């Protein structure tokens, strides 16, 4: 492990990779800070560029964008009271009131410090958990992989959505799109509509760019004409703005929120967008002064930022060990790995050990860069908030088109991003969650291929999926999570009925 | 009918149409045995159709209390214009070429998205559009060896 770590340090500490990490982190913070732009969009835009870079350099750039993008949201959450990304929604609850009380500098300092601590601790969790998990996963066969795919699909549907029917449809549709192209095992072409470009199926990146970036741009068009440009107050930062006593007072809050963030990050499909709110609610519930939450105290910012940023390391665990993305950005990173012909999963730790540790080191360096950049570059990021959206968004759309075209030098992919952009906008309008679609698209082939392989191994008998202990456990948890969701929905409906006047 | 109820009906109809369309396409896959290339698509098609029916039922049974409050305030004129420009940009990118089409798209899109309380500055929009197109084209052509389509400018650039 130590020698691999040293190799990682050697690879990362070159001018090219350090430069890319710095660039990625700064651009990520800008994307995170500007409301309407997200870390997902930043990674989507820069993915095609990594094609021309080596695997280590390309993935380092994406890691920088990811870490910067998740953390950057705190800047607008505190200065504008508008969360830059879903990861910093809970930061507005206390960051905004602190800004109003004239404690904006302290709020920013606390946010920056605890987002760094959260990221750092979750990376340590990643470094220690991932190799062990990968060793266990090496023993997994088709039965286990099929069950993990089904478990992941059901979990995101039951955890991340309001409407179970819409979540299920989204996942099923993503799965359906993954069946386009040559079928696994018997190699029969399916749903290609006579288009040779579809023989290999949909490339995941144009789908992601369309679904997350293009649809977001169309959505912004809904109210951009009436939106008021926010006025930003520049604050001067002097250190982190909190005392050593306050640091020790926040110790347990920080550890608990980091654990919540890392745990939620590990669960497939949900990440920092959920963890910051859950950690905030828990911190409020456990606090000796819950009534002060929302009035401008640092406890709320510590909980939100530590949890949202610690989801970063958590989300990388299932990606690297099982090839299952922990959130939408890691779904993009999965695409980044595939560009370089790398398949994340347990074998990655055997065949590409140095690359795995390069990623670990790149994450550690990027989180430090994030801390320094946010601390000393806050004035630059504040200026970025003033760029008018009606100028910025069309330029981003052009870059999306270039990115999609650059993947295979074919105009077909440009058509794909437009198609999925329209589909994504339809999802937004009908309140259908997009994440199950992506997870369905990514895990669909894994589920189908392993279902068929598993059945071949057990002579067409389905019982193999239930007699293998790990496979049975995952299927059992999947069934339990669906049953639990139905039960909770039923109870909520009954409670609503009881409250209605007769 | 309230906005929420209408939205839920539209979602249900969409699920059902997609499910039936997928089922129709699945029926064209040649069958070999029970578990073959068509097995998973059939499962997915029937699931989507079932979800469509469940969604329509949920829309029909939507309680009155959940229908109130939500209103659609989106500016669809701007959305439609933006969609039109995006589709046109994609359609003409190859024949007209990236440099020219990007300038045209950006210039028009800036105008379409300009907030009502701001003045449209044609010269500034023109300069930003031309500069963005040139910088993006040259960066991707020179730094990343990307052959973006040049279309009408093929005689001048290549």
């Amino acid at each position: 492990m130590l020698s691999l770590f040293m190799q990682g340090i050697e690879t990362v500490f070159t001018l090219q990779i350090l430069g890319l990490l710095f660039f990625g982190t700064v651009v990520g913070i800008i994307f995170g800070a500007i409301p309407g732009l997200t870390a997902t969009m930043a990674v989507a835009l820069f993915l095609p560029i990594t094609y021309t870079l080596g695997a280590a350099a390309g993935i380092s750039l994406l890691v920088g964008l990811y870490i910067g993008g998740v953390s950057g949201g705190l800047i607008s959450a505190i200065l504008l009271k508008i969360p830059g990304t879903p990861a910093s929604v809970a930061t507005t609850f206390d960051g905004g009131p602190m800004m109003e009380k004239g404690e904006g500098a302290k709020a920013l300092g606390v946010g920056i410090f605890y987002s760094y601590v959260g990221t750092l601790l979750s990376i340590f969790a990643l470094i220690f958990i991932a190799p062990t998990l990968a060793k266990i996963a090496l023993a997994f066969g088709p039965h286990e992989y099929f069950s993990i795919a089904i478990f992941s699909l059901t979990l995101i549907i039951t955890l991340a959505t309001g409407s179970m029917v819409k979540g299920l449809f989204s996942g099923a549709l993503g799965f359906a799109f993954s069946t386009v192209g040559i079928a696994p095992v018997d190699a029969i072409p399916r749903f290609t509509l006579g288009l040779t470009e579809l023989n290999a199926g949909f490339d995941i990146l144009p789908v992601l760019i369309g679904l997350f970036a293009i649809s977001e741009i169309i959505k912004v068009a809904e109210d951009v004409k009436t939106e008021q440009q926010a006025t930003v107050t520049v604050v001067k930062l002097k250190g982190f703005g909190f005392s050593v006593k306050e640091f020790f007072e926040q110790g347990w809050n920080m550890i608990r929120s980091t654990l919540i963030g890392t745990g939620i990050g590990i669960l497939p499909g949900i990440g920092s967008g959920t963890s910051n709110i859950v950690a905030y609610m828990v911190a409020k519930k456990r606090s000796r002064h819950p009534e002060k939450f929302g009035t401008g105290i640092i406890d709320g910012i510590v909980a939100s930022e530590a949890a949202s940023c610690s989801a970063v390391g958590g989300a990388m665990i299932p990606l690297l060990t099982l090839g299952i993305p922990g959130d939408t950005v890691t779904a993009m990173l999965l695409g980044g790995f595939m560009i370089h012909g790398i398949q994340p999963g347990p074998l990655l730790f055997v065949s590409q050990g140095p690359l795995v540790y390069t990623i670990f080191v790149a994450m550690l360096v990027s989180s430090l860069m994030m801390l320094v950049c946010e601390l000393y570059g806050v004035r630059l990021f504040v200026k970025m908030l003033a760029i008018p959206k009606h100028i910025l968004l069309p330029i981003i759309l052009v870059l999306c088109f270039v990115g999609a075209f650059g993947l295979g030098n074919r105009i077909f992919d440009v058509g794909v991003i437009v198609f999925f952009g329209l589909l994504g906008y339809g999802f937004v309008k009908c309140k259908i969650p997009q994440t199950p679609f992506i997870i369905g698209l990514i895990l669909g082939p894994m589920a189908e291929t392993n279902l068929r392989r598993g059945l071949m191994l057990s002579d067409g008998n389905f019982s193999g999926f239930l007699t293998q202990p790990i496979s049975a456990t995952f299927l059992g948890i999947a069934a339990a999570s669906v049953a639990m969701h139905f039960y909770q929905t039923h109870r909520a409906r009954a409670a609503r009925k009881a409250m209605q006047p007769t | 009918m309230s906005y929420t109820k209408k939205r839920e009906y539209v979602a249900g109809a969409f699920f059902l149409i997609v499910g039936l369309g997928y089922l129709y396409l699945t029926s064209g896959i040649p069958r070999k045995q029970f578990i073959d290339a068509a097995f998973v698509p059939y499962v997915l098609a029937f699931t989507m159709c079932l979800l469509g029916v469940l969604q329509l039922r949920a829309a029909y049974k939507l309680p009155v209390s959940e229908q109130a409050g939500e209103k659609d305030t989106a500016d669809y004129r701007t959305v439609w214009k933006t969609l039109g420009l995006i589709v046109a940009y994609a359609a003409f990118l190859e024949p007209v070429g990236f440099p020219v089409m990007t300038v045209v798209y950006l210039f028009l899109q800036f105008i379409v998205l300009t907030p009502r309380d701001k003045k449209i500055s044609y010269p500034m929009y023109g300069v930003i559009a031309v500069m963005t197109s040139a910088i993006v084209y040259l960066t991707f052509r020179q730094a990343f060896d990307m052959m973006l389509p040049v279309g009408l400018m093929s005689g001048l650039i290549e």
Side-chain angles (χ1 to χ4, degrees), chain A residues 406-469:
Chain A
L407 285 168
N409 272 315
R410 52 182 198 172
I411 214 78
F412 176 79
D413 289 323
V414 171
V416 171
I417 65 163
V418 174
F419 173 78
F420 282 97
L422 295 176
L423 184 71
Y425 181 62
F427 271 32
V428 172
K429 293 308 289 178
C430 291
K431 295 217 161 169
I432 302 167
Q434 291 163 315
T435 314
F437 180 92
I438 289 301
I439 302 295
L441 185 76
I442 292 170
L443 296 185
M446 177 175 158
E448 187 180 10
T449 309
N450 287 297
L451 169 74
R452 298 193 62 187
R453 281 189 192 150
L455 286 172
M456 280 160 79
L457 280 175
S458 49
D459 297 323
N461 196 338
F462 282 96
S463 64
F465 295 100
L466 298 170
T467 50
Q468 305 277 346

Side-chain angles (χ1 to χ4, degrees), chain A residues 75-113:
Chain A
I75 295 171
S76 47
I78 292 167
L79 298 181
L80 298 177
K81 279 193 280 178
I82 303 167
T85 61
S88 52
V89 170
T91 308
T92 56
F93 301 163
D94 278 288
M98 277 183 83
M99 185 73 190
E100 280 170 5
K101 285 196 287 186
E103 295 178 350
K106 184 177 180 178
L108 266 180
V110 170
I112 292 167
F113 179 77

Side-chain angles (χ1 to χ4, degrees), chain A residues 14-15 24 70 154 164 172 184 254 257 261 297 306 311 324 328 361 369 388 392 425:
Chain A
T14 56
L15 207 60
V70 172
T154 48
M164 177 113 165
M254 176 190 80
S257 304
I297 54 168
I324 295 171
T328 50
V361 176
M369 284 176 170
L392 190 64
Y425 181 62

Side-chain angles (χ1 to χ4, degrees), chain A residues 49 52 166 169 179 186 190 218 222 225-226 390-391 394 397 401-402 405-406 422 429 431 452 496, chain B residues 7-8 15 22 36-37 66 70 75-76 78 83 89 105 110 112-116 125 144 146-147:
Chain A
I49 292 170
T52 53
K166 287 181 180 176
F169 176 80
T179 59
D186 41 18
R190 299 181 297 190
I218 301 170
E222 282 186 350
K225 284 193 93 88
T226 49
H390 68 280
I391 301 288
L397 185 125
F401 271 49
V402 173
F405 180 83
L422 295 176
K429 293 308 289 178
K431 295 217 161 169
R452 298 193 62 187
R496 265 203 311 268
Chain B
R7 183 189 69 204
E8 297 305 298
F15 294 180
Y22 189 70
D36 59 7
E66 285 182 32
E70 220 177 333
D75 171 12
Y76 285 110
T78 309
L83 284 177
Y89 183 42
Y105 166 74
F110 291 154
V112 166
L113 295 180
T114 303
R116 288 198 187 101
Y125 289 176
F144 303 113
M146 198 185 282
M147 299 295 287

Side-chain angles (χ1 to χ4, degrees), chain A residues 220-241:
Chain A
V220 171
E222 282 186 350
D223 51 15
V224 75
K225 284 193 93 88
T226 49
E227 208 179 63
Q228 297 291 316
Q229 184 78 29
T231 44
V232 194
T233 318
V234 182
V235 289
K236 259 190 177 174
L237 277 180
K238 270 187 192 167
F240 293 112

Side-chain angles (χ1 to χ4, degrees), chain A residues 46-82:
Chain A
F46 283 90
L47 259 175
I49 292 170
T50 65
Y51 194 69
T52 53
L53 303 166
I59 291 165
S60 296
L61 171 66
L62 301 178
V63 160
L65 289 163
Y66 184 20
I67 289 176
V70 172
S71 172
L74 76 95
I75 295 171
S76 47
I78 292 167
L79 298 181
L80 298 177
K81 279 193 280 178
I82 303 167

